[in-house]
Amino acid sequence: MADGFSVPLTVEQMYGDWGMEWEDAIAKTDSSLGPRPRTSMYETLGAWGISPGSHVLDIGGRDGAQALDLAERFGVRVLSVDPVQANIDAGAEPIADHEHGHLVESRIGSIDAIPAGDDTFEAVFSRDMMGHVADLEGALGECRRVLKPGGVMVIHDVFATPLLEPAESARLCADLAQVPERLDIGLFERIVEQAGFVIESVDRVGSEWLEHLLEPEDGEKRLLRAARLNRDRDQFVEAMGVVPFRVVQANNLWTIYRMIGKLEDRVYLIRSQGGPTDSTGTGHTA
Ligand SMILES: C[S@@+](CC[C@H](N)C(=O)[O-])C[C@H]1O[C@@H](n2cnc3c(N)ncnc32)[C@H](O)[C@@H]1O
């Protein structure tokens, strides 16, 4: 028995004497493992060496909330870029009212055409948005254009593990505007390198951020909601409309799959290699 997992259990093993009661075994899983919050991503940026006065791009920054966090934490100037006008509008007042709001600017735009000049930023921050990007190599090329030579990107993304079934992947991608190829870790890493970046570190966050989020509340609520939506689909579609139903249910499953290891959260620190791209646009001459 190499690891105890490779052979099916017998009925005797399953129901027999474990040397402990069921309740005692379950109780062992009720203690927190001390998961990190999702702000651990800020620490990745801080450890790289961001300093007050540096200029940071938050791409896919939604309403600018994490731009404000970065400004407050590091004293950096942050440009938050998002393509959805409602997100920009939602952030206008919080940014204006925030103590560090003067360090934050929010602009409409996309990673495909970043509204900033060449060599502007020391760092690009991207949390939970690359999954929406069809042309990842082009997008990373745009980030490289606006980065100063040697600048870095801190990228959080969610990837599929071998446990995610094709039908589960197809449903999630269709309902969350997710590009299916972006779930592929190997492809992501290849494109990062083709775009002229070096992978400096990979933080396999796994389920930590969600454990941290859900420990104070009843995490099982997501399961209950998913079960109810599944069981009485027509009633919920009638009550909320088909698009909200699809997005809400896919969000439940996205969370549950990240909790049980069908999806894996990772944070990459990647560094732009200085100099121009080569004539193919896919490699590097420097
Ligand atoms: C899941 S939200 C994450 C928001 C924020 N980064 C966070 O972690 O709270 C994804 C964000 O990516 C933005 N987005 C989608 N496509 C984009 C694109 N092509 N360029 C930049 N942002 C994009 C969406 O508008 C949305 O605000």
Side-chain angles (χ1 to χ4, degrees), residues 37-46 48 50 55-62 64-71 73-74 76-82 111 114 121-130 140 143 146-147 151-157 197 209 267-270:
R38 67 180 191 160
T39 49
S40 70
M41 203 178 158
Y42 300 154
E43 278 146 34
T44 305
L45 186 60
W48 171 71
I50 201 79
H55 205 178
V56 176
L57 170 67
D58 182 12
I59 193 71
R62 190 137 58 184
Q66 68 205 1
L68 287 170
D69 282 352
L70 290 168
R73 185 176 279 240
F74 298 116
V76 293
R77 291 177 297 142
V78 189
L79 174 65
S80 178
V81 170
D82 199 279
I111 195 168
I114 297 169
F121 304 100
E122 276 80 14
V124 175
F125 189 87
S126 151
R127 188 168 65 194
D128 203 12
M129 65 73 59
M130 290 294 178
L140 292 176
C143 292
V146 299
L147 270 176
V152 295
M153 291 187 74
V154 179
I155 303 176
H156 159 263
D157 217 339
F197 287 89
W209 292 359
V267 173
Y268 283 84
L269 178 69
I270 65 175

Side-chain angles (χ1 to χ4, degrees), residues 81-160:
V81 170
D82 199 279
V84 177
Q85 186 63 47
N87 287 341
I88 307 287
D89 294 346
E93 216 173 289
I95 292 172
D97 292 347
H98 195 280
E99 191 190 341
H100 294 84
H102 62 286
L103 293 172
V104 172
E105 187 188 349
S106 179
R107 274 189 211 156
I108 192 111
S110 168
I111 195 168
D112 307 318
I114 297 169
D118 297 358
D119 299 345
T120 301
F121 304 100
E122 276 80 14
V124 175
F125 189 87
S126 151
R127 188 168 65 194
D128 203 12
M129 65 73 59
M130 290 294 178
H132 295 307
V133 175
D135 176 12
L136 183 61
E137 189 169 350
L140 292 176
E142 246 317 76
C143 292
R144 196 157 163 246
R145 175 184 72 75
V146 299
L147 270 176
K148 291 181 177 163
V152 295
M153 291 187 74
V154 179
I155 303 176
H156 159 263
D157 217 339
V158 175
F159 299 96

